[in-house]
Amino acid sequence: MKLIPLLFLTVNITIPALVAQTKVSGNISDNQGNALSLANVSVSETYDGTSSGDDGAFEFITTSVGKKELVVTFTGFKEFRTKIELTGVPLAFTIRLEEDIRSIETVTISAGSFTAGDQSRRTIFRAVDIATTAGATADIAGALNTLPGTQKVGESGRLFVRGGDGYEARTFIDGMAVLEAYSPAAPNAPSRGRFLPFMFKGTSFSTGGYSAEYGQALSSALVLESKDKAEITRTDLGILSVGGDVGHTQVWEKSSLGGKVQYTNIRPYFGLINQEIDWITPPASLDGHIAFRQQSGKHGMLKVYGNFNRSDFALYNRNIDNYDQKVRYDLANKYSYLNTTYKNVLSENWMVRGGLSYNNIRNKINAGGKNIEQNENGIHAKTVFEGSVSDNVEIKTGLEIIDRSWVQTTDTYPSLTFNELLTSAFAETDVYTSKRFVTRGGVRLEYNAQNDRLSIDPRFSLAFKTSSTEQISLAYGKFRQSPKNEFLGVKSELREEKADHYILNYQCIDNNRTFRIESYYKCYSNLVRFENGDQQQPSNAGYGFARGIEIFWRDNETLKNVDYWISYSLLDTKRNYLNFPHLSTPYFASTHNLSAVYKHFINKLKSQIGFTYTYASGRPYHNPNSNTFNAATTPSYQDLSFNWSFLPNPALIFYFSCTNLFRRENIFGYEYGSERNEQGIFNSRAIGQPARNFLFAGLFITLSKEKSVNQLPNL
């Protein structure tokens, strides 16, 4: 008798369940009616569901009852939801999914741009590559010089892009302008970038056609994205052949503070390695870097970054006609850069970011007893709003102000000075017609209070994805930049120099292999030109052009533990500017540029080795003994560099690098005397490397609770 209530209860539970079974079926396709297989179909708040078959059909039984939602998801398409009521009556659906233009395989603008980010699925040039490329010696510009579009100008060390001078490539940190991104260097000696690669998680190197957000960059925009909040408290020590450094990062729940002090003194090194420069006191510098990060709410982030440097050196400049005659040259530099940025989410579709940066550069120069002081100050403020107005349209718009001043004083000449206030507004929109086609249109308005001019610069790009791995991009834009400080100091009314960019790009990324080919044409106008060859009479009468083809191939899949890339650039450029008598190829431009980078990870030896080979064809220079301007050509530039990282244990790294392994004599041009000799010709002196090669060794130690953490990505 006791079993009857239990049996009755079991029947009452089972019968409704059998009655409430509902059959759900249907067919899934895209907007064109093509069947979608393996789409996920489920009932909300349950585990009931299935996947569609090859013909897009699906069918399953659910025991749920009541009001629910049928959910369909498929990669690359928008999620589909519809309300249903489960009563035991069969349900049938015909479902068409819409493409999600924001999916990870969506077409992206690639013309003129190399993007590096550790989180990017389709990265071409990783952030870590900047620090681990042989021959770059952990210098950002040195690594980027292995990419197509750059020219090797060994006596400068700066980025020269697509026929543009070194000052035409502008650096931005978290969107904020850097007025001087390079350390001072001796005449005809290469300078290094001021910023350490490990401070940044992403890099966008644009050789043309870049966003309307960035102004005052005639040829190239190098955009560095600093790292977010650190996750591990750690201390890093470096014992270097040219100095040493110590860094510490302290992490809290929602913030982190990092700092590094680096002392560089190459005087002992130069005492061991013969130098072509007649040093009195070789360069020494003290660098300090700080990085503070504070999370604000769920999505907000405040960043503060600072770089402070003091450096000095002294040397003798020898007379070309009489070596025993020499002139002393001293330089002391003080540099300060402070950058504060903030970003946060305003709503589901909109975010805001903005910042304020301050630059100060001071140079004290003594040249042959003549004292020269240069002082530049600059403040940059920016606010940017970006978001989506629909699934197919994204917008970015903002305002910015750059206020800078420069003054040069000497013992014997009047001061040179100017004050420049630039107010800019920009707007840019991306319109996705589909996952395969995107159009970007933008405009930048800029008002220069110094010469009372308003400029309007349109910029336009589009990209079409021809397959899942290939795409074609086009770009056009107008770009402008103020002339060099010394020219504005002489004549502050000078207008901005201008360039029009036209770019066609093809790109294929497949299975860790990348192939790019790009052609371009640049038209220069308003370049500074000296009237009658007089530097005290600058004008905007200069003009020129640059055109070329570039090829890039990268492969880290074919060979086990090997990553390599090859880049080639063909450049044809001419200018009529400065003191040029007619249209001619500038001294910094080489027709052919080739780089081949090889990296090999040898697990058994706990080592990473790398080689970089660089070739540049001869560059033009003017020989005053010739009646033809810029008719002479230097020998080709060739360099094979090597680096090696050895990890005896995870917290300890030994690093060694050597440039120009074969000690080739590379010549960048010639200097000439001021008077003819007895034979009636001008004496000359080659401009070459300060030394045939540069050797560097370092021991790097990391102290943290995470024993696997080290500095290898920073080398």
Side-chain angles (χ1 to χ4, degrees), residues 290-477:
I290 61 168
F292 174 72
R293 306 291 185 256
Q294 176 68 55
Q295 292 180 345
S296 173
K298 186 176 181 180
H299 301 290
M301 176 68 71
L302 172 70
K303 295 182 178 181
V304 179
Y305 172 75
N307 174 275
F308 310 95
N309 174 275
R310 303 292 183 268
S311 61
D312 64 89
F313 61 81
L315 55 86
Y316 285 120
N317 283 320
R318 299 279 181 171
N319 189 288
I320 296 175
D321 298 317
N322 185 351
Y323 184 80
D324 293 331
Q325 292 183 6
K326 57 186 181 182
V327 176
R328 180 172 177 136
Y329 181 89
D330 294 74
L331 186 145
N333 173 264
K334 293 182 179 180
Y335 178 82
S336 300
Y337 177 78
L338 188 62
N339 174 321
T340 301
T341 59
Y342 178 77
K343 65 179 180 179
N344 205 348
V345 174
L346 297 176
S347 66
E348 182 179 352
N349 295 323
W350 285 91
M351 68 168 290
V352 61
R353 57 183 170 89
L356 181 70
S357 67
Y358 170 74
N359 296 258
N360 177 253
I361 307 105
R362 294 176 179 267
N363 288 317
K364 288 189 175 182
I365 303 170
N366 186 295
K370 182 174 70 174
N371 293 310
I372 304 171
E373 290 194 19
Q374 298 172 335
N375 185 19
E376 182 175 13
N377 286 284
I379 296 176
H380 182 201
K382 177 193 284 188
T383 301
V384 182
F385 295 90
E386 51 188 328
S388 303
V389 296
S390 71
D391 291 336
N392 297 68
V393 180
E394 297 178 355
I395 290 179
K396 176 168 64 174
T397 184
L399 297 168
E400 65 178 352
I401 296 175
I402 297 178
D403 186 5
R404 68 188 186 103
S405 62
W406 180 84
V407 60
Q408 175 178 286
T409 59
T410 65
D411 294 336
T412 55
Y413 295 99
S415 297
L416 302 178
T417 184
F418 71 86
N419 293 278
E420 183 179 69
L421 177 63
L422 298 171
T423 305
S424 305
F426 57 88
E428 192 170 72
T429 180
D430 290 358
V431 179
Y432 291 85
T433 306
S434 69
K435 288 199 306 179
R436 291 183 175 272
F437 188 77
V438 60
T439 303
R440 173 180 297 168
V443 63
R444 182 178 180 86
L445 281 73
E446 192 169 276
Y447 175 71
N448 189 330
Q450 181 172 260
N451 54 34
D452 192 25
R453 288 183 176 273
L454 176 66
S455 59
I456 302 176
D457 295 330
R459 300 179 188 180
F460 177 80
S461 302
L462 61 85
F464 177 69
K465 203 174 184 68
T466 57
S467 71
S468 61
T469 59
E470 301 170 281
Q471 71 174 49
I472 296 173
S473 298
L474 291 168
Y476 163 76

Side-chain angles (χ1 to χ4, degrees), residues 141 145 151 153 155-160 166-167 180-184 190-191:
N145 268 320
Q151 286 82 57
V153 185
E155 74 275 29
S156 170
R158 297 174 178 244
L159 280 172
F160 287 71
Y167 72 92
E180 181 52 78
Y182 299 91
S183 300
S191 58

Side-chain angles (χ1 to χ4, degrees), residues 25 30 48 145 189 227 231 233 254 282 301 345 397 405 431 467 472 517 525 544 547 566 594 617 700 714:
S25 62
D30 60 18
D48 299 334
N145 268 320
K227 290 183 177 180
E231 300 299 330
T233 296
K254 292 188 176 182
M301 176 68 71
V345 174
T397 184
S405 62
V431 179
S467 71
I472 296 173
I517 183 168
S525 60
R547 57 193 177 192
I566 300 171
L594 173 71
S617 58
F700 300 90
N714 305 334

Side-chain angles (χ1 to χ4, degrees), residues 607-650:
S607 296
Q608 171 187 301
I609 62 171
F611 292 91
T612 298
Y613 173 73
T614 304
Y615 169 86
S617 58
R619 289 160 33 192
Y621 67 95
H622 178 58
N623 183 348
N625 298 303
S626 169
N627 293 325
T628 306
F629 180 74
N630 262 16
T633 306
T634 66
S636 65
Y637 173 91
Q638 297 185 53
D639 180 289
L640 179 64
S641 296
F642 166 79
N643 66 359
W644 170 44
S645 300
F646 172 59
L647 287 75
N649 65 65

